[in-house]
């Protein structure tokens, strides 16, 4: 079975390859429970590494103090708000379900529609006609499903033990990465250079810039919009404004924007006759939505000079493919692919340069023939 020309033992090579594949697959299978926590920790550490360096400089170059401070900040940002959210949701779940399932849910009268100039009277008559023709029966039919649907989502949120475990793993891995950040970076860059020489190293650096761009452009924008939207909801007198603020942040992270939460709140205010606060919240919602188109491109450019469309496409596609962690994984994958394709294309001149060189070569060839 040995190839006499090249001196290669094919069975040995095949069995060695099978053994390596089995070992890699077994290692990945063993580490599978830790993937999500480690991925979150990697993204968080990469995005906050400049902050960690500044903290270490301010804390007398003490790595221990800087690591403890960063883990405390992450604890305040991730763990405590989530526990408060779940506790608040569980405490208020009974009242919400009973209200949706009760027989007190009715369409309002909307008498204030008559005060609208020109079209007010017509709108009010059309609305009353809708109620008389079965609007109340419609809400009676969908009432049981509203209660059951709400109860289902609340029960799903109640099973958050696995999510909490991943958050704890994220904190543990983050502390390890903060402590061995430079060494881990050198190992990754060494592996990338071994794979793709200098282009592999540049891809690793570009991936880090993409993670920071997403952290600044997407996450920070979502937090700003969520906080401003929550302030508007609280000032307008909307109940459960803290829960709705978390929903706004989630919707902004998945690129749906704050309107899926703010529009029902505005409708609810007009529904109950609070036209003044409904108008105030409407104007405030317009400001919060416009902020998305101004703040996000600026922050993305601060994180990395990459195409904004590429980052946003990676965010949306990664979220659909991988869940919340896809917010960071998606842009990184697209940026690496974009970088590799661009480097491969730049190995030859652009079409305009090719046409000029071809023209010169054609003229030189004609001169030689004429001679």
């Amino acid at each position: 079975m040995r190839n006499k020309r090249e001196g290669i033992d094919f069975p040995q090579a095949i069995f060695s390859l099978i053994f390596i594949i089995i070992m890699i697959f077994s290692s990945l299978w063993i580490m599978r429970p830790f993937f999500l926590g480690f991925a979150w920790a990697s993204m968080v550490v990469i995005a906050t590494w400049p902050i960690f360096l500044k903290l270490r400089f301010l804390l007398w170059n003490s790595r221990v103090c800087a690591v403890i401070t960063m883990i405390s900040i992450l604890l305040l940002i991730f763990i405590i708000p989530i526990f408060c959210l779940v506790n608040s949701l569980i405490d208020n779940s009974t009242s919400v379900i009973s209200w949706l399932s009760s027989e007190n849910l009715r369409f309002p009268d909307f008498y204030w529609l008559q005060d609208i100039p020109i079209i007010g009277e017509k709108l009010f008559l059309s609305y009353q006609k809708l109620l008389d023709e079965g609007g109340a029966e419609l809400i009676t039919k969908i009432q049981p499903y509203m209660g059951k649907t709400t109860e289902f989502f609340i029960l799903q949120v109640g099973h958050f033990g696995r999510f909490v475990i991943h958050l704890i793993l994220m904190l543990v891995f983050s502390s390890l990465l903060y402590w061995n950040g430079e060494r881990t970076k050198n190992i990754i860059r060494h592996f990338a250079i071994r794979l793709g020489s200098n282009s592999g190293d540049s891809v690793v650096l570009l991936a880090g810039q993409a993670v920071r761009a997403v952290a600044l452009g997407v996450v920070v924008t979502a937090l700003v919009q969520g906080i401003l939207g929550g302030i508007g909801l609280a000032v307008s007198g909307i109940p459960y404004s803290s829960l709705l603020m978390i929903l706004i942040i989630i919707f902004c992270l998945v690129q749906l924007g704050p309107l899926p939460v703010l529009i029902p709140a505005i409708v609810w205010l007009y529904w109950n006759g609070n036209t003044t606060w409904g108008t105030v919240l409407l104007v405030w919602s317009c400001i919060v939505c416009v902020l998305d188109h101004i703040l996000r491109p600026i922050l993305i450019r601060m994180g990395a000079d990459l195409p904004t469309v590429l980052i946003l496409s990676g965010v949306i596609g990664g979220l659909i493919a991988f869940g919340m962690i896809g917010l960071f994984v998606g842009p990184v994958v697209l940026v690496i692919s974009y970088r590799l394709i661009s480097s491969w294309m730049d190995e030859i001149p652009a079409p305009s340069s090719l046409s000029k060189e071809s023209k010169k070569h054609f003229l030189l060839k004609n001169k030689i023939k004429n001679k």
Side-chain angles (χ1 to χ4, degrees), residues 11-32:
Q12 180 185 5
I14 293 172
F15 283 117
S16 298
L17 180 61
I18 293 174
F19 177 76
I20 293 173
I21 293 174
I22 291 174
M23 292 301 296
I24 293 174
F25 180 78
S26 301
S27 300
L28 293 176
W29 185 260
I30 293 171
M31 297 299 295
R32 184 174 58 92

Side-chain angles (χ1 to χ4, degrees), residues 182-218:
E182 290 84 357
R183 183 181 177 184
T184 305
K185 181 185 72 174
N186 292 333
I187 291 174
I188 294 174
R189 293 182 65 182
H190 189 190
F191 182 74
I193 291 173
R194 184 67 182 87
L195 285 178
S197 187
N198 292 329
S199 60
D201 187 32
S202 63
V203 164
V204 171
L205 297 177
L206 197 64
Q209 294 177 1
V211 172
R212 293 195 183 101
V214 173
L216 285 174
V218 177

Side-chain angles (χ1 to χ4, degrees), residues 155-359:
L155 289 176
Q156 294 301 315
V157 173
H159 301 289
F160 67 101
R162 184 180 299 179
F163 184 65
V164 171
I165 292 174
H166 286 308
L167 284 176
I168 295 173
L169 289 175
M170 183 270 290
L171 292 175
V172 174
F173 286 131
S174 297
S175 61
L176 295 176
L177 291 174
Y178 281 130
W179 186 260
N180 299 292
E182 290 84 357
R183 183 181 177 184
T184 305
K185 181 185 72 174
N186 292 333
I187 291 174
I188 294 174
R189 293 182 65 182
H190 189 190
F191 182 74
I193 291 173
R194 184 67 182 87
L195 285 178
S197 187
N198 292 329
S199 60
D201 187 32
S202 63
V203 164
V204 171
L205 297 177
L206 197 64
Q209 294 177 1
V211 172
R212 293 195 183 101
V214 173
L216 285 174
V218 177
V219 178
V220 174
T221 304
L223 290 175
V224 172
Q225 286 185 293
I227 293 172
L228 293 178
I231 292 173
L233 293 173
V235 172
S236 302
I238 300 294
Y240 311 112
S241 58
S242 59
L243 298 178
L244 295 177
M245 181 181 70
I246 302 296
L247 286 178
I248 291 175
I249 294 175
I250 294 174
F251 280 124
C252 291
L253 285 175
V254 301
Q255 304 303 299
L256 293 177
L259 291 181
V261 177
L262 294 176
I263 289 179
I266 296 170
V267 173
W268 184 84
L269 288 173
Y270 281 108
W271 185 307
N272 290 275
N274 297 325
T275 56
T276 302
W277 285 113
T279 305
V280 171
L281 185 59
L282 177 61
V283 175
W284 184 254
S285 301
C286 294
I287 297 174
V288 173
C289 292
V290 171
L291 185 66
D292 180 36
H293 302 284
I294 299 175
L295 185 61
R296 184 170 57 186
I298 296 174
L299 293 176
I300 287 178
R301 289 293 179 180
M302 289 175 60
D305 191 11
L306 296 169
T308 306
V309 176
L310 190 71
I311 297 294
L312 296 181
S313 300
V315 167
I316 298 173
L319 183 71
I320 296 173
F322 304 106
M324 292 298 291
I325 192 64
L327 288 171
F328 297 93
V329 175
V332 169
V333 172
L334 288 187
V335 164
I336 291 175
S337 303
Y338 171 77
R339 177 66 176 178
L340 291 175
I341 294 173
S342 299
S343 300
W344 175 68
M345 292 174 60
D346 291 339
E347 291 179 357
I348 61 172
S352 58
S353 302
L354 282 175
S355 60
K356 291 180 180 178
E357 291 180 1
S358 301
K359 187 176 181 180

